[in-house]
């Protein structure tokens, strides 16, 4: 016959095992929660930048170039009927901001002032026309024979008799007084293109 003390010893020895068994039975009897699969996450797109607005189309046959400088503003009428490719190229360069911040320079002081890139290598076919080289005329620099520079242009400060042919593509119609003030080293702030009217 077991004594009371040995009965207590037996119970205390098996108590942890009994507790574990009770917990397992309790947990097994609990209803299982249904787990929903995780919601799919949207992947970040590669182009997180806002869409840039496309520049509005410009009718080059109705276009004016506005040259802003620290000395003032000049408006240039563009001769698209006489030099269509040259005007298209100039308008493209201006709208891309190519001329912004470029310095004026000259090889012919008192006769012309130039801008663009004097080191430019790109050329385009020369578009000859009958426009004379009077004060305010704007033309592309080039070899005077068959090619025009794709970016370098000059403005006549006085009437000239050029040696060779050059693509005359516009004329300063407002701001001739500003043209008189431009000196080598002065910078073009911006050249913008707008339609007349």
């Amino acid at each position: 016959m077991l004594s009371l003390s040995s009965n207590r010893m037996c119970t205390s020895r098996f108590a942890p095992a009994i507790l574990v068994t009770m917990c397992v039975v309790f947990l097994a009897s609990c209803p299982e929660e249904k787990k929903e699969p995780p919601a799919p996450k949207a992947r970040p797109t590669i182009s997180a930048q806002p869409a840039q607005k496309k520049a509005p189309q410009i009718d080059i046959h109705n276009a004016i170039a506005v040259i802003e400088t620290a000395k003032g503003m000049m408006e240039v009428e563009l001769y698209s009927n006489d030099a269509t490719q040259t005007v298209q190229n100039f308008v493209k360069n201006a709208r891309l901001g190519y001329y912004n911040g470029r310095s004026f320079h000259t090889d012919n002081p008192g006769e012309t002032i130039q801008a663009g890139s004097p080191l430019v290598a790109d050329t385009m076919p020369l578009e000859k026309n009958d426009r004379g080289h009077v004060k305010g005329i704007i033309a592309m620099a080039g070899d005077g024979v068959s090619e025009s520079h794709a970016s370098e242009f000059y403005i006549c400060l006085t009437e000239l008799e050029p040696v060779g042919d050059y693509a005359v593509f516009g004329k300063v119609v407002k701001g001739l007084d500003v043209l008189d003030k431009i000196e080598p080293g002065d910078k073009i702030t911006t050249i913008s293109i707008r339609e007349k009217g």
Side-chain angles (χ1 to χ4, degrees), residues 3-26:
S3 68
L4 189 58
S5 62
S6 65
N7 200 9
R8 277 190 193 149
M9 247 173 75
C10 188
T11 305
S12 66
R13 190 185 314 157
F14 294 112
I18 293 169
L19 279 174
V20 168
T21 305
M22 286 174 56
C23 285
V24 169
V25 170
F26 175 75

Side-chain angles (χ1 to χ4, degrees), residues 95-185:
R95 295 186 87 192
L96 289 172
Y98 180 83
Y99 299 119
N100 300 349
R102 298 278 182 175
S103 296
F104 284 103
H105 59 93
T106 187
D107 292 328
N108 306 300
E111 295 183 354
T112 62
I113 197 84
Q114 291 185 217
S117 173
L119 304 175
V120 73
D122 292 340
T123 60
M124 56 187 299
L126 171 64
E127 289 185 293
K128 298 178 185 179
N129 56 56
D130 295 329
R131 300 275 183 175
H133 274 61
V134 296
K135 182 176 181 176
I137 279 292
I138 181 169
M140 296 309 284
D143 66 3
V145 179
S146 63
E147 292 183 337
S148 289
H149 287 183
S151 73
E152 183 80 0
F153 66 89
Y154 63 90
I155 308 173
C156 293
L157 302 175
T158 186
E159 188 167 352
L160 299 174
E161 192 61 50
V163 178
D165 292 310
Y166 295 88
V168 173
F169 68 93
K171 184 180 181 192
V172 175
V173 291
K174 282 187 187 174
L176 282 173
D177 58 324
V178 174
L179 181 59
D180 291 335
K181 298 173 193 170
I182 300 293
E183 297 174 351

Side-chain angles (χ1 to χ4, degrees), residues 36-88:
E36 295 291 326
K41 293 182 180 177
R43 292 183 179 185
T45 56
I46 293 172
S47 60
Q49 301 172 348
Q52 292 183 350
K53 288 184 180 177
K54 207 172 183 182
Q57 290 292 326
I58 293 280
D59 175 9
I60 64 163
H61 299 294
N62 191 37
I64 292 275
V66 180
I67 303 174
E68 295 276 357
T69 73
K71 303 262 175 92
M73 180 265 298
M74 296 176 280
E75 283 190 8
V76 177
E77 179 184 356
L78 299 173
Y79 298 149
S80 57
N81 291 329
D82 296 326
T84 307
Q85 287 182 314
T86 305
V87 169
Q88 285 174 337

